[in-house]
Amino acid sequence: MMSEMAKAGRQDWIDGARAMLPLLPGAVPFGMIAGVVASNAGLDALAGIGQSIVVFAGAAQLASTQLIADAAPVFVVILTGLVINLRFAMYSAALAGHLSALPRWRRWLAAYLMTDQSYALSVLRYTARPQMSLAAKFAFYMGGAIPMWTVWLAATAAGYFLGNRIPASWSLDFFVPLSFLALIVPSIADRANAAAALTGGAAAVIAWSLPFNLGLFLAALAGIAAGYAVEKLTPKQGEDA
């Protein structure tokens, strides 16, 4: 019996790794950019690469490091990182119904390793297989999360040490929005999500030149407001239009 449970856990871990595999190449240029930005900002190797271990949040790392390089006030750097990572609070709430019964250290580990990719893949898996055991859910989650963490650290280190030797023709920055689009587009399944995505994207483009990445704040607020408004104004099934 125990061997069967262990085998099932290994299979779920393998399934998680396989599900994450197609998304790993998109993390490589993203991580390299984070390393390049840290190097150009004048951070030493310990700080430049170490932030990927301590923070482990790509978009927040990029924005915060650039603000540090621009000598932005400390509270702006911290606030920017917190706002960009607010989505993880929603991710955690969504996963709590599946993983909250885990021992505390496992919940902390899952929280630390959480990425957009690991969250999205896990929710899809749990929804498709509602009878999964707690151990199977955790194994699947870790199977995807650990490879992503490993690839991110390696890519950050490569970007830091290569620095400006990476040819501009590679256009690594082009892959950053692509990696997020690969996750966002499939999730746009209703009017509220579509309104939030379109409004937030438009606001980000319009406000891109604002100092200290304030355009991100405005875009996030605009997207949330648009999605909320459409959600409230859209009749639910069974309700009169």
Side-chain angles (χ1 to χ4, degrees), residues 92 95-104 107 134:
S92 297
L95 289 176
H98 300 284
L99 304 178
S100 60
L102 288 170
R104 182 178 300 175
R107 296 199 307 271
L134 178 61

Side-chain angles (χ1 to χ4, degrees), residues 27-28 30-38 43-62 65 112-115 148-160:
V28 173
F30 198 178
M32 292 183 71
I33 292 172
V36 172
V37 170
L43 300 180
D44 59 27
L46 180 61
I49 301 172
Q51 66 175 333
S52 285
I53 299 175
V54 176
V55 180
F56 187 47
Q61 284 182 225
L62 286 173
T65 303
Y112 167 69
L113 292 174
M114 185 182 295
T115 60
M148 176 57 72
W149 181 80
T150 304
V151 168
W152 178 259
L153 292 187
T156 303
Y160 182 89

Side-chain angles (χ1 to χ4, degrees), residues 26-163:
V28 173
F30 198 178
M32 292 183 71
I33 292 172
V36 172
V37 170
S39 177
N40 292 343
L43 300 180
D44 59 27
L46 180 61
I49 301 172
Q51 66 175 333
S52 285
I53 299 175
V54 176
V55 180
F56 187 47
Q61 284 182 225
L62 286 173
S64 299
T65 303
Q66 189 59 57
L67 288 172
I68 292 172
D70 294 339
V74 174
F75 80 91
V76 173
V77 177
I78 296 174
L79 184 61
T80 297
L82 290 175
V83 170
I84 293 175
N85 283 338
L86 275 177
R87 67 189 188 280
F88 289 107
M90 295 184 289
Y91 294 171
S92 297
L95 289 176
H98 300 284
L99 304 178
S100 60
L102 288 170
R104 182 178 300 175
W105 72 270
R106 290 196 175 190
R107 296 199 307 271
W108 288 355
L109 181 60
Y112 167 69
L113 292 174
M114 185 182 295
T115 60
D116 299 277
Q117 295 88 343
S118 60
Y119 162 75
L121 292 176
S122 296
V123 167
L124 289 174
R125 175 81 166 196
Y126 302 161
T127 303
R129 301 188 181 186
Q131 302 304 318
M132 286 181 72
S133 67
L134 178 61
K137 289 179 178 180
F138 182 70
F140 180 86
Y141 180 93
M142 296 302 292
I146 291 176
M148 176 57 72
W149 181 80
T150 304
V151 168
W152 178 259
L153 292 187
T156 303
Y160 182 89
F161 289 115
L162 289 174

